[in-house]
Amino acid sequence: MVQVLDSEGAVDPWRRRTRRARRQMPLWQELPLLLIVAFCLAVLIRTFLLQAFFIPSGSMEDTLLIGDRVLVNKVVYDVRDPVRGEVVVFRGTDRWVAQEVQGPEPGFAGKVGRTLGDLVGVSRPGEKDFIKRVIGVPGDRVKCCDDQGRVLVNGIALDEPYVIRNSPLDVPPNPRECRSRRFEEVVVPPGQIFVMGDHRLVSQDARCQGTVPIDNVVGRAFMVVWPSQRWTSLPVPATFDRLSRPAAAPAAPAAPVEPAPVGGVALVLPMATMMSVLARSGRSGRARGRRLHP
């Protein structure tokens, strides 16, 4: 048996009792501590690393469906700017009008649940939270359409297989409505991005609501995590590889941080903590079991 000694080499009974008490803590006492630690980790992860967002509308169909939950990397744009083809979550400016009709005011239990959900990042988005695909970055010239009805970025047509339901070509363009596929050329200002939804028939986006400040971008959506049968990543489509960087756009760093490793670390951290506590509880339980049932 290992004995705990004080500075003079004698057995320290207080430390021995403390260690025995800690080792014999029952699971019902450790469980609240485990829940508190897991909740605090979830809040920290939601605030600084990544967040789960609920998709409330069909503006990104069929890439994202109503009810999907996506993981959003909140740190990747701290080291670089968004690039074309990425799916981003952002706060809309005053020109952006929320597409969703707000439901009835929830009761007390609903307010508590919404508050807790917002803390850990699993609640519905706010009225001015949007998710769209980046089409143009600072300095780009974006317009529609060419003779095949495709969007042009710096004169290069985009082949967009992710656009399943497009806007009609026969509707005249209106800068205050996004009903038409056609729109006049837009030069993306410095510090802004031009975004569009994949479901162009219903998406209200930069065609009629204007570009979005990069400072308003919350993060990059990089993975669909729910429902489980739709688990998939959200890569940049190959069509954007054909575009050259505009002269006015800032150069990207040589080694940009990719979102997947950050998400992996953030998900593993709380799981490892909980497994560690449960393992310690299991060992204590087995020890108590041997004492209760010799």
Side-chain angles (χ1 to χ4, degrees), residues 109-177:
K111 291 180 179 179
V112 171
R114 178 177 297 181
T115 301
L116 294 176
D118 184 64
L119 284 174
V120 299
V122 295
S123 63
R124 289 175 177 265
E127 294 182 20
K128 286 298 183 76
D129 290 335
F130 297 88
I131 183 166
K132 306 290 181 184
R133 190 181 299 277
V134 179
I135 303 297
V137 295
D140 280 347
R141 296 178 176 271
V142 186
K143 68 177 181 179
C144 192
C145 308
D146 66 356
D147 54 0
Q148 299 182 37
R150 298 176 296 181
V151 174
L152 298 166
V153 180
N154 300 329
I156 300 176
L158 297 178
D159 295 315
E160 301 180 286
Y162 48 83
V163 177
I164 307 300
R165 289 174 285 276
N166 214 332
S167 301
L169 282 168
D170 55 353
V171 175
N174 185 335
R176 292 176 295 181
E177 295 181 350

Side-chain angles (χ1 to χ4, degrees), residues 4-6 10-20:
V4 181
L5 305 179
D6 59 15
V11 176
D12 188 337
W14 182 84
R15 290 187 180 179
R16 185 169 54 191
R17 287 195 302 270
T18 302
R19 178 170 295 183
R20 184 183 300 114

